[in-house]
């Protein structure tokens, strides 16, 4: 089974939940400690062996392109000042020439439409999708597991988390079939069901490995929830035609598109850094 080579990052959203910070700054560039949110997702994809990084952008997102480019003046300054450690850290964040590809979603028609905009770049092979707003902190990175499970099944694999029954109406929930170790067969998907109608408590989160047939369904431009082209609707149509499984994610998950979620993400990421953890705990103790 061919491994996953391409990852799609839909980053055209306006980030209205994080205004006024995102009035000029793309929400994906909000810093979590000392790295923008988008770099965490990029590093996760790189750890999974991704070779092509496709960013589906929109107006006002040029800072993303600049971030993954070489800043010659800064690099030269660090070199002249013998800031070897900082220079090495920045060098690691710059992809090899040609690995990063940008395309635009010219109208806000939904997540499904954003993914469809990458169809010609992805081609006829399975690919990954990462929603940058969802910062997932675990080792191994969740996409590493999804890519490995795709190689085992040859089909689509998505990450899910278990949510309280009373919260099912907030999320897309999967219906489940057979379980085989890490793999849970997906037999259906329901968008934001009431607790009494939910087929499970497993909620879809922002990591996917999808077969290329999903583009055929997205191409129809069918509108779903919010009058948008929904990725969930297209995924639903894959079920029964090719293997479709879920894997439960058990690591830290933080919604960086939400103000409280973002604050928690900064704290959680800082606590994972040995040089910062004790200082952060001392600061937090002063606010009990």
């Amino acid at each position: 089974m061919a491994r996953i080579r391409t990852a799609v990052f839909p980053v055209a959203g306006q980030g209205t939940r994080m205004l006024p910070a995102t009035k000029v700054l793309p929400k994906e560039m909000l810093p979590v400690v000392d790295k923008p949110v988008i770099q965490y997702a990029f590093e996760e994809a790189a750890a999974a062996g991704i070779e092509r990084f496709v960013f589906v952008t929109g107006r006002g997102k040029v800072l993303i392109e600049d971030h993954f480019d070489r800043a010659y003046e800064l690099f030269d300054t660090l070199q002249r000042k013998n800031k070897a450690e900082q220079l090495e850290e920045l060098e690691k964040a710059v992809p090899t020439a040609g690995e990063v590809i940008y395309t635009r979603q010219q109208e806000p028609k939904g997540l499904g439409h954003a993914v469809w905009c990458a169809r010609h770049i992805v081609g006829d092979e399975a690919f990954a999708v990462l929603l940058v707003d969802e910062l997932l902190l675990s080792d191994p990175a969740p996409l590493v597991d999804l890519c490995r499970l795709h190689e085992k099944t040859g089909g689509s694999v998505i990450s899910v988390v278990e949510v309280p029954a009373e919260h099912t109406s907030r999320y897309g929930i999967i219906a489940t079939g057979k379980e085989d170790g890490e793999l849970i067969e997906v037999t259906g998907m329901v968008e934001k069901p009431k607790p009494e109608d939910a087929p499970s408590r497993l909620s879809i989160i922002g990591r996917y490995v999808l077969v290329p047939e999903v583009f055929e369904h997205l191409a129809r431009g069918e509108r779903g929830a919010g009058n948008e082209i929904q990725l969930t609707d297209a995924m639903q149509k894959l079920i029964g035609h090719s293997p479709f499984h879920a894997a439960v994610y058990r690591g830290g998950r933080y919604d960086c598109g939400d103000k409280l979620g973002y604050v928690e993400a900064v704290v959680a990421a800082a606590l994972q850094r040995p040089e910062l953890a004790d200082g952060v705990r001392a600061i937090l103790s002063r606010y009990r």
Side-chain angles (χ1 to χ4, degrees):
M1 185 62 57
R3 66 182 183 86
I4 302 299
R5 300 188 309 127
T6 305
V8 175
F9 302 80
V11 291
Q14 295 179 315
T16 54
R17 289 188 295 164
M18 294 296 286
L19 287 169
T22 52
K23 179 182 177 183
V24 175
L25 183 70
K27 62 177 180 174
E28 299 82 10
M29 291 300 296
L30 289 170
V32 174
V33 187
D34 55 2
K35 292 190 295 190
V37 175
I38 197 168
Q39 189 169 329
Y40 287 88
F42 180 90
E43 291 174 357
E44 179 184 338
I50 296 299
E51 299 174 357
R52 291 189 298 180
F53 305 83
V54 183
F55 293 95
V56 183
T57 68
R59 288 177 58 81
K61 301 286 184 166
V62 292
L63 282 180
I64 295 174
E65 298 184 32
D66 289 342
H67 178 71
F68 290 108
D69 198 0
R70 290 184 61 86
Y72 289 103
E73 299 86 354
L74 175 60
F75 282 31
D76 182 63
T77 298
L78 293 174
Q79 190 167 26
R80 284 189 288 103
K81 293 186 175 182
N82 295 316
K83 302 283 189 179
E85 186 175 340
Q86 290 174 299
L87 182 59
E88 182 182 1
E89 190 67 24
L90 288 177
E91 290 277 11
K92 287 193 300 184
V94 178
T96 302
E99 287 185 342
V100 176
I101 303 166
Y102 300 93
T103 188
R104 282 213 173 184
Q105 182 186 21
Q106 295 166 324
E107 299 176 70
K109 293 183 177 180
L111 175 59
H113 179 259
V115 172
W116 178 78
C117 288
R119 66 199 182 281
H120 294 310
I121 301 169
V122 173
D124 190 24
E125 61 183 62
F127 63 103
V129 177
L130 297 91
L131 304 189
V132 174
D133 283 358
E134 295 203 48
L135 177 60
L136 306 183
L137 298 177
S138 67
D139 186 17
L143 192 63
V144 173
D145 286 333
L146 292 189
C147 290
R148 174 177 54 81
L149 293 170
H150 164 76
E151 291 182 17
K152 178 178 179 180
T153 67
S156 300
V157 192
I158 60 175
S159 284
V160 296
V161 295
E162 188 170 333
V163 298
E166 61 270 24
H167 292 173
T168 58
S169 60
R170 303 178 185 178
Y171 306 107
I173 303 295
I174 65 168
T176 63
K178 298 177 183 178
E179 295 190 26
D180 179 13
E182 302 168 86
L183 291 165
I184 302 171
E185 182 185 14
V186 178
T187 60
M189 300 177 185
V190 183
E191 189 65 33
K192 299 180 179 178
K194 295 178 181 178
E196 60 270 24
D197 299 326
S200 75
R201 291 169 48 198
L202 295 176
S203 163
I204 303 167
I205 62 173
R207 298 295 185 274
Y208 318 79
V209 168
L210 301 173
V211 294
E213 288 76 16
V214 73
F215 290 123
E216 298 174 14
H217 302 295
L218 292 172
R220 299 182 183 125
E222 296 173 356
R223 303 284 181 140
N227 196 35
E228 293 184 334
I229 300 170
Q230 297 291 345
L231 183 59
T232 303
D233 294 341
M235 290 194 299
Q236 171 80 38
K237 292 173 181 176
L238 295 175
I239 297 171
H241 298 280
S242 61
F244 205 122
H245 295 86
V248 177
Y249 173 69
R250 305 186 190 279
R253 177 195 179 207
Y254 311 96
D255 181 2
C256 291
D258 170 81
K259 291 174 184 177
L260 278 177
Y262 174 71
V263 171
E264 185 181 7
V266 173
V267 172
L271 288 173
Q272 288 193 1
R273 301 271 289 271
E275 75 277 18
L276 297 176
D278 289 344
V280 171
R281 290 190 183 96
I283 291 170
L284 292 175
S285 70
R286 298 201 290 267
Y287 290 88
R288 289 178 180 171

